[in-house]
Amino acid sequence: MEYGSNLIYGLSIAVQPANLLFCLLGVLIGTLVGVLPGLGANAALSLLLPITFKLPPVSAVIMLAGIYYGASYGGSTTSILVNIPGEAASVITCLDGHQMALKGRAGPALGIAAFGSFIAGTFGVIMLMLMAPTLAGFALKFGPPEYCSLMAMSLCLVTYLAGESMLKSLIMAGIGLFLGVVGMDSQTGKVRFDYGIPYFTDGIPLVPVVMGLFGISEVLKDIGSHERQSVLASRIKGFLPNLQDWKDSAFPMVRGSLIGFFMGLIPGIGLTTPTFIAYGIEKKISRHPEKFGTGVIEGVASPEACNNATASGFFIPLLSLGIPGSAAMALFLGALMIYGLEPGPLLIKNHPDVFWGVVASMYLGNVMLLILNLPLIPLWVRVLKIPTSFLFPWILLFCIIGSYSLNNRAGDVVVMITCGVIGYLFRKFRYEIPPLILAFVLGPMLEMEMRRSLSLSRGSFSIFFTRPISVLFTLIALAVLLTPLIRKTVFNRKP
Amino acid sequence: MKKICALGLVTVFMLLGGISLLQAQESDFPKNPVELIVPFPPGGTADVAARIVSDYLSKELKVSVVVVNKPGASGSTGTQAVAKAKPDGYTLVTGNAASLVNAYLFLSNVPYDAQKDFVPLGYVGESPSLVVVLASSPYNTLEEVVAYAKKNPGKVSYAAGGGISAVSTLNMELIKIKTGTDIARVIYEGGAPALTSVLGGHVTMTAAGFPTLGQHIKAGTLRALVTTIKVPEMPEVRSYTEAGFPEVLLNWTGFFAPAKIPPAVNKKLVEAFDKALKNPEAIDKLKKVGYVPEIKKPSDISELMKQQFQLVSKIVKDAKLGK
């Protein structure tokens, strides 16, 4: 079989000692930056990109891919342990992951996150290998109206993220949408709500907001509170998921992988939104939706599988069309170009060593990550035993370094700290932060895609209802919005 | 009184010392590493050019040249940082059409004047910006698209990669003004999503840079109608001038220093850049990433900027864009 021989060719490249070493180095660095709050895959890639210029192209690309994978692996660790997402894509993992940790089940949560990532990553690589050219066409089916309806549908999922109060979630989503409006309107070039401060021309950046609302506010909340210490010191049950955990998370992982992979094919969706969708769907189809948010393992398995599958999905439009699906992929594209490789329809033909070498090293990378991560779990769990008076100053330090290193801008640090104070107030008054993040991520995309659609149709809204994919998403969005209402009125019971 | 005298003397000595120190600094420039700011994220065309040139510049200046990315606000964040930096020659900036010409006309809060606050040191060259359609579409030339758009108002659209202030977008607007046609503008923030849009058939055409489009033109999925400057690999693609549009905005990249640097330092830097940019290895690498390298004297760079500035102002006014 053609694919078999190609893969063997790829493996023969990937297992060359030097490449193997770069792969290992990549996943190590990736895991590290994934664990450190704020330093996500993007930051790591842009910091290390210049270093890889001196390497041979295949080794460099393998190392960069390793960093990228490692970062999406490592991001969940701090979400679970200290309720601080290592990157935006791990925000949703905080909900149930940290609750599990508070119940003494940090080990199984980390374990299922690692296995989920491994399974989804492997699934993604297999799909990439078998179907890259076929699936690339899927990305192209999405024009502005399709994106717009997809975003609208995703935004409707905000209702499923609501914990105790729907009203509070909607308020938070509203704030998120408003924050997303700040900055230059790319359609006209006019700057909105910047109050004359040049910093806001590009809008409010996501990562400092996430770090502030989660990280800094967690530190602030913990000052004067001894609750965490007593809970964690007393009971830590097991390091690995048990049989029941596996049973509970098998299907969520499969669903998460599928959602993630297909969302990853659509350029521009990003890593964060698919995890929200995966979580929302799990909660919707669960037999016990009320338990979500209290530490159910499905709430960790599905989004964690999802973000790794998305990460591999991104490679398909990149390698087969030369279209980067995210900021990290754009850095990849830049790297490939510097080595004189032009990603696009000719890459597989002209540079099979790069394409298959990267695919094979992704396999190896996933295995390495699992081997690296499982023995680390007991060590990570022990982090919880570090007194917060030692741990939290370090977290604060890393948050500040992390937010500054994103763009070398002091403004990012100010935004992070401001969001930290606001996030503290949100927590104090029991407003949930994830709906804000979802709306903040989706809002600008929804607006831009809608305006693009309307410039295409010269202002006619019929464009959303005359294209099949767009109609489908619009109908799902309506269904998502209306079913709880209908159920409530027809059956006269709480949804 | 004695005290005042003493104080005055001390001040004079300090001043003298300061001046001699300054002179010393000027004559043995550079002693420390030079920072080359790129006001865009890593991986873009300006960044790649800066990284390639920095290696050769470092050999000429015999100190290390560190490339630092300060992205944001169409390049104005990093550019502003350099405008405000100490004019000692240790902080330089990579400038291009977007950060030095277009940003100034589009953003209401750009606190620098590109032509007054910076002096040009060296010129990388230009990166071709092309207009493409799907190879399966019926159009072979720009004139055919324009003719179709005139007969069928509301049917033709283009994806503007790189946002409203990009060179490629403004060139399309220029064509619209000159031909008086109605072509819908669909703005994207980068060349890649604009490329997706044209590949998927959602828009008729797109205007974007050669690095984004080159592979697809070579693979035969896209057809190039026109380019800002001739692409050496594709001599058959007509330039704007050949297609009847002699006025065109170029996607150029160059290196700049704050305007107030000492003349001696300026001279050293101009010479070093000149040698670095004439290095055949550097030229070869720049060609690989899609540049058409060109040597320009600082005075010519200023002249080009002035001319481009006037053209952009005209487009912005006629197409009713910007602030």
Side-chain angles (χ1 to χ4, degrees):
Chain A
M1 207 182 108
E2 193 197 346
Y3 287 121
S5 60
N6 279 334
L7 186 66
I8 291 167
Y9 172 56
L11 277 172
S12 72
I13 293 165
V15 296
Q16 286 165 10
N19 290 343
L20 214 53
L21 182 74
F22 284 118
C23 185
L24 180 69
L25 204 64
V27 297
L28 261 175
I29 296 171
T31 311
L32 193 69
V33 297
V35 170
L36 294 176
L39 272 175
N42 292 357
L45 286 176
S46 55
L47 287 173
L48 294 168
L49 187 63
I51 299 170
T52 60
F53 288 165
K54 314 278 178 205
L55 300 176
V58 183
S59 307
V61 175
I62 285 174
M63 181 167 148
L64 291 173
I67 294 172
Y68 181 63
Y69 265 95
S72 53
Y73 240 82
S76 55
T77 310
T78 44
S79 294
I80 292 168
L81 293 177
V82 282
N83 204 16
I84 298 169
E87 51 175 350
S90 306
V91 163
I92 203 82
T93 310
C94 289
L95 290 186
D96 281 283
H98 187 58
Q99 288 301 322
M100 283 182 74
L102 288 181
K103 286 181 181 166
R105 287 172 38 78
L110 289 169
I112 218 74
F115 279 115
S117 300
F118 173 72
I119 292 164
T122 311
F123 166 77
V125 173
I126 293 171
M127 293 288 278
L128 170 63
M129 183 186 73
L130 294 177
M131 306 181 66
T134 329
L135 286 174
F138 183 74
L140 298 180
K141 294 222 166 25
F142 277 72
E146 284 79 18
Y147 272 104
C148 181
S149 315
L150 174 64
M151 301 297 169
M153 183 197 89
S154 312
L155 197 57
C156 290
L157 286 169
V158 93
T159 54
Y160 290 137
L161 294 173
E164 60 183 72
S165 157
M166 181 69 79
L167 181 64
K168 282 182 176 177
S169 292
L170 291 177
I171 291 174
M172 293 300 275
I175 297 174
L177 283 176
F178 178 74
L179 289 180
V181 171
V182 176
M184 184 159 56
D185 166 18
S186 66
Q187 303 288 302
T188 61
K190 287 190 170 58
V191 184
R192 306 184 285 203
F193 300 108
D194 70 329
Y195 296 98
I197 304 164
Y199 173 81
F200 288 118
T201 308
D202 281 339
I204 301 173
L206 173 66
V207 178
V209 169
V210 170
M211 289 168 71
L213 289 179
F214 285 89
I216 304 289
S217 76
E218 184 73 24
V219 173
L220 291 177
K221 193 190 96 183
D222 212 80
I223 295 172
S225 145
H226 295 283
E227 174 197 15
R228 179 198 306 276
Q229 273 328 104
S230 57
V231 172
L232 296 177
S234 57
R235 359 166 224 151
I236 288 175
K237 301 173 202 153
F239 290 131
L240 287 176
N242 57 32
L243 196 64
Q244 187 59 40
D245 291 336
W246 275 107
K247 274 188 195 159
D248 287 340
S249 38
F251 283 108
M253 271 185 202
V254 172
R255 284 187 289 263
S257 303
L258 283 171
I259 294 166
F261 185 75
F262 282 98
M263 298 281 284
L265 295 180
I266 309 167
I269 290 287
L271 279 170
T272 315
T273 315
T275 58
F276 278 88
I277 294 177
Y279 186 86
I281 286 176
E282 283 314 315
K283 193 171 171 185
K284 174 73 191 157
I285 63 175
S286 167
R287 258 173 275 140
H288 46 79
E290 71 287 351
K291 281 194 188 155
F292 273 73
T294 62
V296 289
I297 198 147
E298 297 99 298
V300 177
S302 171
E304 278 307 310
C306 181
N307 74 28
N308 272 63
T310 313
S312 16
F314 279 156
F315 277 92
I316 289 182
L318 179 79
L319 294 176
S320 50
L321 293 171
I323 296 169
S326 68
M329 287 292 116
L331 285 171
F332 243 96
L333 185 76
L336 290 170
M337 275 167 45
I338 292 169
Y339 307 127
L341 307 166
E342 293 169 284
L346 301 178
L347 180 78
I348 304 180
K349 211 173 89 196
N350 294 353
H351 300 281
D353 55 331
V354 174
F355 183 80
W356 293 105
V358 170
V359 170
S361 76
M362 284 182 192
Y363 269 119
L364 293 177
N366 269 300
V367 176
M368 276 184 199
L369 278 168
L370 193 67
I371 298 171
L372 195 74
N373 275 279
L374 286 183
L376 280 177
I377 290 176
L379 199 73
W380 287 129
V381 173
R382 229 162 281 153
V383 169
L384 292 174
K385 290 189 174 168
I386 301 173
T388 42
S389 50
F390 292 113
L391 183 63
F392 277 48
W394 280 102
I395 290 178
L396 203 59
L397 179 71
F398 281 126
C399 282
I400 290 169
I401 296 173
S403 61
Y404 182 74
S405 65
L406 286 173
N407 288 315
N408 298 330
R409 285 198 298 185
D412 291 344
V413 182
V414 177
V415 166
M416 180 186 72
I417 292 171
T418 314
C419 285
V421 175
I422 297 169
Y424 172 73
L425 295 175
F426 283 155
R427 282 169 191 251
K428 198 92 186 157
F429 296 105
R430 307 179 76 84
Y431 282 81
E432 284 146 348
I433 299 162
L436 186 155
I437 303 286
L438 180 67
F440 181 49
V441 171
L442 284 176
M445 292 202 250
L446 178 68
E447 186 204 339
M448 287 310 146
E449 296 297 351
M450 181 165 159
R451 291 170 67 181
R452 276 172 203 146
S453 308
L454 292 178
S455 16
L456 272 179
S457 71
R458 262 80 171 173
S460 162
F461 279 87
S462 64
I463 193 167
F464 298 110
F465 304 105
T466 49
R467 299 164 60 128
I469 300 177
S470 170
V471 171
L472 179 73
F473 286 132
T474 312
L475 288 178
I476 297 175
L478 284 176
V480 165
L481 269 189
L482 296 179
T483 40
L485 268 177
I486 294 168
R487 239 199 264 171
K488 205 172 176 179
T489 44
V490 174
F491 299 104
N492 198 23
R493 64 183 171 109
K494 277 197 159 181
Chain B
M1 191 64 198
K2 256 187 188 171
K3 262 189 188 169
I4 295 173
C5 272
L7 217 69
L9 266 176
V10 170
T11 321
V12 167
F13 276 122
M14 273 169 72
L15 272 176
L16 281 174
I19 289 165
S20 64
L21 203 71
L22 208 69
Q23 277 168 343
Q25 269 178 354
E26 273 179 37
S27 56
D28 34 281
F29 173 86
K31 279 197 306 204
N32 304 317
V34 172
E35 247 186 25
L36 180 57
I37 308 284
V38 174
F40 300 97
T45 45
D47 178 64
V48 172
R51 290 188 191 281
I52 291 171
V53 175
S54 68
D55 273 357
Y56 299 94
L57 184 66
S58 166
K59 276 172 204 156
E60 298 302 330
L61 292 174
K62 297 187 181 66
V63 291
S64 56
V65 177
V66 188
V67 176
V68 180
N69 298 87
K70 275 192 198 263
S74 306
S76 66
T77 309
T79 311
Q80 186 207 346
V82 179
K84 284 201 299 193
K86 203 171 154 203
D88 54 6
Y90 288 104
T91 316
L92 311 175
V93 68
T94 312
N96 64 11
S99 69
L100 287 179
V101 177
N102 303 2
Y104 190 64
L105 281 160
F106 276 90
L107 301 174
S108 46
N109 49 11
V110 175
Y112 54 85
D113 181 332
Q115 293 174 78
K116 277 187 201 146
D117 293 346
F118 294 99
V119 284
L121 302 172
Y123 191 72
V124 177
E126 288 131 31
S127 184
S129 166
L130 296 89
V131 176
V132 293
V133 291
L134 267 184
S136 56
S137 76
Y139 314 110
N140 289 306
T141 61
L142 190 61
E143 291 92 317
E144 285 175 27
V145 184
V146 168
Y148 182 83
K150 274 196 174 156
K151 267 188 220 148
N152 304 277
K155 286 267 175 69
V156 179
S157 54
Y158 81 96
I164 185 91
S165 62
V167 164
S168 51
T169 311
L170 293 171
N171 278 331
M172 281 303 296
E173 292 300 317
L174 187 65
I175 293 175
K176 280 166 66 178
I177 297 166
K178 288 270 165 82
T179 57
T181 37
D182 166 34
I183 299 174
R185 173 178 70 230
V186 185
I187 297 278
Y188 284 91
E189 274 125 45
L195 171 66
T196 322
S197 203
V198 74
L199 284 176
H202 306 289
V203 292
T204 322
M205 55 188 161
T206 185
F210 183 69
T212 312
L213 303 173
Q215 269 273 302
H216 286 273
I217 301 170
K218 283 182 213 156
T221 44
L222 293 177
R223 183 183 303 129
L225 301 181
V226 70
T227 170
T228 50
I229 48 159
K230 294 294 265 185
V231 184
E233 293 168 75
M234 298 172 187
E236 71 281 3
V237 180
R238 291 191 304 167
S239 69
Y240 273 84
T241 317
E242 288 167 342
F245 299 94
E247 277 187 316
V248 63
L249 290 176
L250 299 171
N251 207 354
W252 56 269
T253 302
F255 301 102
F256 297 79
K260 289 185 184 126
I261 56 165
V265 174
N266 187 356
K267 192 165 161 271
K268 260 197 179 153
L269 283 171
V270 169
E271 279 166 8
F273 268 109
D274 188 59
K275 276 187 195 150
L277 288 162
K278 277 181 182 155
N279 187 312
E281 255 179 66
I283 291 174
D284 201 46
K285 282 187 185 170
L286 288 169
K287 277 183 184 162
K288 259 192 182 169
V289 296
Y291 274 98
V292 180
E294 195 186 326
I295 301 294
K296 260 195 204 305
K297 281 188 297 183
S299 57
D300 294 339
I301 304 173
S302 300
E303 191 50 43
L304 173 80
M305 274 173 72
K306 210 168 131 194
Q307 176 239 328
Q308 296 273 302
F309 198 84
Q310 280 164 357
L311 186 55
V312 176
S313 316
K314 203 175 128 225
I315 299 170
V316 167
K317 202 173 123 245
D318 291 352
K320 297 190 181 68
L321 303 168
K323 58 187 179 188

